[in-house]
């Protein structure tokens, strides 16, 4: 009787822990989002920011443009990108049972880089399809999305020939190396202007997406999120082992393929709109597991998405906090937060 009471108490404490950290994320997310609207290279009084958001007139017309056309889209893009990369990282780590599995390691981000490199470095920044041509940001978005989906398609086709997850992970890493070498060759053949454009994109940024493109980003993200939600039950069953999952009728190969497609859509969307953002997809799932002390994906997946949004907003805020109006690229901040989490997780597992 005492053992049953102790187990009940432990289970109750874990449930309370999950609720506490979920509520904290829900409370902090709108707070950090608002801070992203208040802080920037231009000092705008908080009262004016509130007036602009409520549809009232501000002291200066330029401030309205900055808040609605620059800071607001940037904050929305940061949330979407953080959620996409975090969920895709969680899916890949669950699929391969590898703490270092992530969108960047798997080669999908490299595919997006190859697509942008081909358009920017080899085609001069424009794409021609029949009588239609795309230039500027639209060409970059299309090429990055197509390149990432192409790598996802290669991995999807290889998954039908490779039965072991570890071998599929190695295939993904090798595809990433191959794509990186092609990008390096294109860099040698590019013009100075093309190299500059590609370098700016490869640094990663949440500030290059106008408000008109955010609905497209939202739709692509929603498709990936819905597909990942469908995988919650199979992922929990797979925690008990593939043999057990097969014994109760789970098609492991089908689950793996759906997971690859979901990861490809999420990573493709995030990388196409924001560039290759490092460490968020790798670190946030580990951080959430440490906080929740649970492997239940009914909690892990939504809370990982929340903390991915929160961490991306926090990194974007830190990029804007430098004195003198300096702005850091987002990939200069994400390793400072993500790397310590990975180090701690690896050393903790090494002691177990």
């Amino acid at each position: 009787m005492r053992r049953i009471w102790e187990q009940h108490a432990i289970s109750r404490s874990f449930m309370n822990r999950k609720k506490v950290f979920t509520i904290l994320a829900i409370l902090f997310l709108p707070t950090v989002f608002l801070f992203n609207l208040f802080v920037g290279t231009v000092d705008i009084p908080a009262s004016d920011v509130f007036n602009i958001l409520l549809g009232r007139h501000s002291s200066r017309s330029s401030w309205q443009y900055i808040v609605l056309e620059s800071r607001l889209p940037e904050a929305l893009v940061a949330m979407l990108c953080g959620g996409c990369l975090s969920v895709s990282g969680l899916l890949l780590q669950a699929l391969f049972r590898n703490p270092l599995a992530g969108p960047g390691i798997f080669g999908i981000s490299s595919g997006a880089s190859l697509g942008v490199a081909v358009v920017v470095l080899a085609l001069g920044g424009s794409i021609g399809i029949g009588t239609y041509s795309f230039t500027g940001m639209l060409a970059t978005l299309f090429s990055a999305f197509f390149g990432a989906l192409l790598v996802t398609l290669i991995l999807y086709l290889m998954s039908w020939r490779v039965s072991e997850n570890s071998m599929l992970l190695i295939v993904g890493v090798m595809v990433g190396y191959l794509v990186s070498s092609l990008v390096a060759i294109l860099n040698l053949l590019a013009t100075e202007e093309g190299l500059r454009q590609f370098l700016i994109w490869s640094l990663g940024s949440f500030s290059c997406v106008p408000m008109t493109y955010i609905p497209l980003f939202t739709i692509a993200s929603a498709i990936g999120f819905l597909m990942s939600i469908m995988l919650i039950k199979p992922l929990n069953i797979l925690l008990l082992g593939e043999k057990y999952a097969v014994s109760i009728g789970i098609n492991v190969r089908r689950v793996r393929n759906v997971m690859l497609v979901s990861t490809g859509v999420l990573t493709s969307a995030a990388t196409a709109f924001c560039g290759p953002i490092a460490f968020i997809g790798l670190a946030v799932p580990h951080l959430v597991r440490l906080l929740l002390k649970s492997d239940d994906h009914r909690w892990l997946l939504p809370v990982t998405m929340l903390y991915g949004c929160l961490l991306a907003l926090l990194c974007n805020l830190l990029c804007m906090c430098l004195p003198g109006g300096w702005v850091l690229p987002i990939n200069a901040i994400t390793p400072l937060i993500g790397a310590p989490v990975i180090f701690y997780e690896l050393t903790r597992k090494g002691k177990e």
Side-chain angles (χ1 to χ4, degrees):
M1 188 70 182
R2 183 178 179 182
R3 176 177 290 182
I4 294 175
W5 184 84
E6 288 176 350
Q7 290 177 348
H8 178 71
I10 293 172
S11 175
R12 190 173 179 181
S13 66
F14 277 136
M15 184 61 66
N16 290 334
R17 186 185 186 95
K18 295 171 184 175
K19 290 180 179 179
V20 166
F21 284 108
T22 303
I23 292 171
L24 285 175
I26 294 173
L27 291 176
F28 276 110
L29 187 59
T31 304
V32 180
F33 183 87
L34 286 176
F35 270 109
N36 274 263
L37 302 183
F38 295 147
V39 177
T41 56
V42 178
D43 292 328
I44 303 176
S47 59
D48 282 276
V49 174
F50 277 119
N51 287 333
I52 291 169
L53 294 176
L54 294 174
R56 302 169 184 167
H57 292 290
S58 62
S59 302
R60 298 181 184 177
S61 59
S62 60
W63 288 350
Q64 184 171 352
Y65 178 84
I66 291 171
V67 173
L68 296 180
E69 300 297 330
S70 178
R71 294 183 184 178
L72 181 59
E74 190 172 348
L76 292 172
V77 167
M79 285 183 57
L80 290 170
C81 182
C84 286
L85 293 178
S86 300
V87 171
S88 63
L90 175 68
L91 294 178
L92 289 173
Q93 289 169 16
L95 174 63
F96 296 108
R97 296 185 180 181
N98 188 322
L100 296 179
I105 303 296
F106 208 54
I108 301 174
S109 299
S110 299
S113 298
L114 178 61
V116 174
V118 169
V119 172
V120 174
L121 302 179
L123 301 180
S126 63
I127 304 174
I129 303 176
T131 58
Y132 298 96
S133 62
F134 304 97
T135 59
M137 184 179 180
L138 189 61
T140 302
L141 286 176
F142 179 82
S143 59
F145 198 77
F146 179 79
L149 286 182
L150 181 62
V151 172
T152 303
L153 177 62
I154 293 172
L155 297 173
Y156 179 83
L157 294 176
M158 289 298 298
S159 69
W160 289 100
R161 299 182 61 88
V162 178
S163 58
E164 296 183 8
N165 287 339
S166 58
M167 292 300 295
L168 186 60
L169 179 61
I170 293 173
V171 170
V173 173
M174 292 300 104
V175 170
Y177 279 124
L178 176 62
V179 168
S180 297
S181 67
L182 294 176
V183 172
I185 294 172
L186 289 173
N187 279 326
L188 292 175
L189 303 176
T191 62
E192 184 177 346
E193 178 63 22
L195 282 173
R196 188 185 67 82
Q197 293 181 13
F198 182 73
L199 177 61
I200 292 173
W201 177 86
S202 63
L203 289 174
S205 176
F206 299 138
S207 61
C208 297
V209 183
M211 186 65 79
T212 53
Y213 285 92
I214 289 180
L216 183 61
F217 194 1
T218 304
I219 292 171
S221 304
I223 292 172
F225 288 142
L226 289 174
M227 293 179 68
S228 63
I229 290 171
M230 294 168 53
L231 295 167
I232 289 177
K233 184 177 179 181
L235 283 174
N236 281 341
I237 295 174
L238 284 171
L239 291 175
L240 302 175
E242 288 191 11
K243 291 183 178 180
Y244 174 76
V246 172
S247 68
I248 64 172
I250 298 294
N251 190 328
V252 176
R253 187 183 290 270
R254 182 183 300 169
V255 170
R256 184 176 68 174
N257 292 341
V258 173
M259 201 178 300
L260 283 175
V261 173
S262 174
T263 302
V265 171
L266 291 170
T267 307
S268 301
T271 309
F273 283 93
C274 306
I277 307 297
F279 273 99
I280 290 180
L282 191 60
V284 174
H286 290 298
L287 176 63
V288 174
R289 289 192 192 95
L290 288 172
L291 295 176
L292 301 187
K293 301 291 185 183
S294 172
D295 288 323
D296 187 352
H297 288 87
R298 291 175 298 178
W299 286 90
L300 273 181
L301 196 143
V303 178
T304 296
M305 183 177 66
L306 284 173
Y307 275 92
C309 297
L310 182 60
L311 183 64
L313 284 170
L314 181 61
C315 290
N316 189 60
L317 185 62
L318 292 175
C319 290
M320 302 292 176
C321 290
L322 293 178
W326 288 91
V327 178
L328 284 174
I330 194 69
N331 279 335
I333 297 294
T334 52
L336 298 178
I337 298 177
V341 175
I342 302 299
F343 286 145
Y344 175 79
E345 180 68 10
L346 293 177
T347 54
R348 185 180 68 88
K349 286 191 174 182
K351 293 179 181 179
E352 294 179 354

